[in-house]
Amino acid sequence: MKSRIGRSKEFTAFRSEVPRQKCNVEGKDWTYFQFGPTKMAPLICLHGTSGTAETFFCQVMTLGSKGYHVIAAQWPDYWDHGKWVDGFYKFLATINIKKCHLLGVSLGGFMALHFAGRYPDRVQSLILCNSFVDTRPFHQPSAWSTMLGYMPEFYLKKYILDSFPKGNLPGPHADAVDFVVEQLETLTRKDLGSRLSLNCLPSSVAKYIKSIKEKHPMTILDTVDDVVLPEIMRERLYKAFPNAKQAYIKSGGDFPFLSSHMEVSMHIQVHLRGIEVFPGGVDAKEYAKKSGIEIKEEKAQKKKEAVKKVVKKAVKKVLTEKEKEALRRKKEEELRRKEEEERKAKEEKLKRDAEKRKRREAGNRILAGLVDKSDEDADNLFKDKSKKVRFTCT
């Protein structure tokens, strides 16, 4: 019976829409799935010890549909790291890939570091998930490594399955483990033995660390919950690349690209946009114009202009001591002049009011005098009987 993911609509759509392709490199077949616009540098996904190209179907569909060029690759049997690097170089040359971004999970991340160290001009950036910088904790006796090529298939599968997480797992984690186990069943004895050999042979990328730090932007993608990878190997990776961006997923387990694939795809997009790789292979300005967002350069230019305006205003406000003294005197003179004008206006008003009062009093006196005189004349008129009073009406 197929796993829940194996019979899901998403995986069925992936298998129906994206063809499985093969590329023969010196007699060995590389299997890969390719989706998205081919005119831009691809993101190549490299699986771990138990993985296949199909385990990245979520990233292929999600990112490819958004306009990114994605390739999920599955390598054939290479029994040492140098041959793997040479084989991957020839694989890229065969499918006409000059530069690429690498997403490596576990052993795939370790091999991606090897390739970036030897061929730095072919790699634009790196994303590492549950990966490591040396195989020291996995070392096995040389005789054991030699015997891997002769061990039966069931024993090799059992050896790998014994390292898988045990116990009750959350739903998405359990589904991811079931799907990887299902994919593990499709691998041959040579596939299994060669991957274990790459995992167990003494190897380190210490000599490439300086070059990788200088030339390749990197994001380390890890989960917060428990994983099979020893903690000491994670710490060595962080210590080797202290300036790498770190992205954490709260709950993803050993296969976050399946159990938390939306978060993984989101972090991949953040990584690519951080180095100005946009969907469709367009440049930053064209993508910003289409999306209606501002890119870093435009934001920086606007910020500079705003700073200039602020500085200009500040310069205007910063005056010399003489200018400050002159301004103070000018204000004092204006204040005195205003007070003087107000005083004069007040005096004039008082003067006008006094004149009005005088005129009013004089008028009252005149009126009072006229009334008194007319009363005297009337008395005299009536007292003088010898005068004849004559009234005329008009």
Side-chain angles (χ1 to χ4, degrees):
M1 182 178 178
K2 282 189 175 183
S3 64
R4 188 191 298 269
I5 294 177
R7 62 177 187 270
S8 65
K9 293 181 180 179
E10 293 79 8
F11 186 69
T12 303
F14 163 74
R15 291 306 306 271
S16 62
E17 295 179 22
V18 185
R20 182 200 298 269
Q21 303 182 62
K22 289 192 176 183
C23 172
N24 189 273
V25 178
E26 296 181 339
K28 296 180 182 292
D29 286 335
W30 284 72
T31 303
Y32 67 99
F33 296 90
Q34 183 172 224
F35 192 45
T38 57
K39 66 179 180 179
M40 62 186 297
L43 170 72
I44 300 182
C45 305
L46 300 173
H47 55 77
T49 307
S50 58
T52 62
E54 280 94 338
T55 55
F56 292 107
F57 79 93
C58 294
Q59 285 68 49
V60 172
M61 295 297 288
T62 301
L63 298 174
S65 62
K66 289 182 179 294
Y68 291 98
H69 184 193
V70 187
I71 296 176
Q74 180 177 329
W75 65 78
D77 56 302
Y78 290 105
W79 295 83
D80 66 67
H81 305 92
K83 290 181 180 179
W84 187 98
V85 171
D86 293 336
F88 186 55
Y89 179 86
K90 292 173 183 177
F91 166 68
L92 294 181
T94 305
I95 63 175
N96 197 28
I97 300 296
K98 296 180 180 179
K99 291 188 177 183
C100 62
H101 307 272
L102 295 179
L103 165 62
V105 176
S106 188
L107 177 62
F110 182 60
M111 301 313 300
L113 290 172
H114 269 288
F115 184 78
R118 280 187 55 185
Y119 298 102
D121 295 336
R122 304 298 294 272
V123 179
Q124 292 185 324
S125 70
L126 291 161
I127 305 173
L128 305 178
C129 179
N130 291 339
S131 194
F132 45 90
V133 293
D134 63 69
T135 59
R136 197 181 313 166
F138 300 142
H139 285 182
Q140 296 290 345
S142 58
W144 188 88
S145 300
T146 304
M147 288 298 294
L148 286 171
Y150 304 97
M151 291 179 180
E153 183 178 314
F154 78 88
Y155 178 80
L156 296 174
K157 287 181 179 178
K158 181 179 182 303
Y159 184 84
I160 294 174
L161 290 173
D162 286 343
S163 66
F164 276 33
K166 304 293 190 300
N168 294 326
L169 300 174
H173 296 195
D175 292 341
V177 171
D178 289 344
F179 182 70
V180 174
V181 171
E182 184 178 88
Q183 292 299 310
L184 184 68
E185 293 295 328
T186 66
L187 300 177
T188 65
R189 180 177 62 82
K190 286 185 177 181
D191 292 331
L192 298 168
S194 62
R195 295 180 186 186
L196 288 172
S197 177
L198 293 176
N199 236 8
C200 299
L201 285 174
S203 180
S204 173
V205 295
K207 60 182 178 181
Y208 301 131
I209 288 176
K210 184 178 179 181
S211 171
I212 292 173
K213 285 194 293 188
E214 292 175 352
K215 297 181 179 180
H216 302 109
M218 181 186 295
T219 294
I220 299 175
L221 178 60
D222 269 333
T223 57
V224 178
D225 49 0
D226 295 333
V227 294
V228 173
L229 185 72
E231 187 64 27
I232 189 173
M233 300 187 79
R234 289 172 127 184
E235 293 175 358
R236 287 176 186 165
L237 179 66
Y238 297 142
K239 187 176 180 180
F241 303 102
N243 296 325
K245 293 182 179 179
Q246 297 180 10
Y248 291 99
I249 298 173
K250 184 177 180 181
S251 178
D254 292 277
F255 310 109
F257 46 92
L258 288 168
S259 58
S260 301
H261 61 91
M262 294 302 294
E263 290 183 66
V264 171
S265 297
M266 178 196 68
H267 286 302
I268 292 172
Q269 290 182 77
V270 171
H271 168 84
L272 294 175
R273 292 184 183 186
I275 56 176
E276 297 188 357
V277 177
F278 298 98
V282 300
D283 59 17
K285 290 184 178 179
E286 186 177 349
Y287 178 76
K289 187 177 180 181
K290 288 181 179 179
S291 305
I293 59 176
E294 293 182 343
I295 59 176
K296 292 180 180 178
E297 293 179 359
E298 293 178 352
K299 285 185 177 180
Q301 185 63 28
K302 288 184 178 180
K303 190 174 181 180
K304 284 182 181 179
E305 292 176 357
V307 170
K308 284 182 179 179
K309 289 181 180 179
V310 172
V311 171
K312 192 174 181 180
K313 289 181 180 179
V315 168
K316 287 181 178 180
K317 290 180 180 179
V318 177
L319 304 174
T320 62
E321 292 298 327
K322 290 184 178 180
E323 290 175 334
K324 287 181 180 179
E325 183 65 22
L327 183 61
R328 186 180 62 79
R329 289 178 179 176
K330 186 177 180 181
K331 287 183 178 180
E332 289 179 353
E333 290 177 0
E334 289 179 356
L335 185 61
R336 284 197 297 269
R337 185 171 62 253
K338 189 175 180 180
E339 290 177 350
E340 183 66 20
E341 289 176 354
E342 290 177 354
R343 186 184 62 79
K344 288 182 178 180
K346 190 174 181 180
E347 290 179 353
E348 289 178 358
K349 184 179 179 182
L350 291 172
K351 188 176 181 181
R352 286 196 300 271
D353 292 342
E355 289 178 355
K356 286 181 180 179
R357 190 168 52 255
K358 288 180 180 180
R359 286 197 296 270
R360 189 165 52 251
E361 291 176 352
N364 291 336
R365 285 196 299 270
I366 292 171
L367 288 174
L370 289 174
V371 171
D372 294 341
K373 188 174 181 181
S374 60
D375 291 343
E376 291 177 358
D377 292 341
D379 292 340
N380 293 333
L381 180 61
F382 288 107
K383 287 179 180 179
D384 189 2
K385 295 180 180 181
S386 60
K387 292 184 180 180
K388 292 181 179 179
V389 180
R390 188 177 182 182
F391 295 97
T392 61
C393 296
T394 59

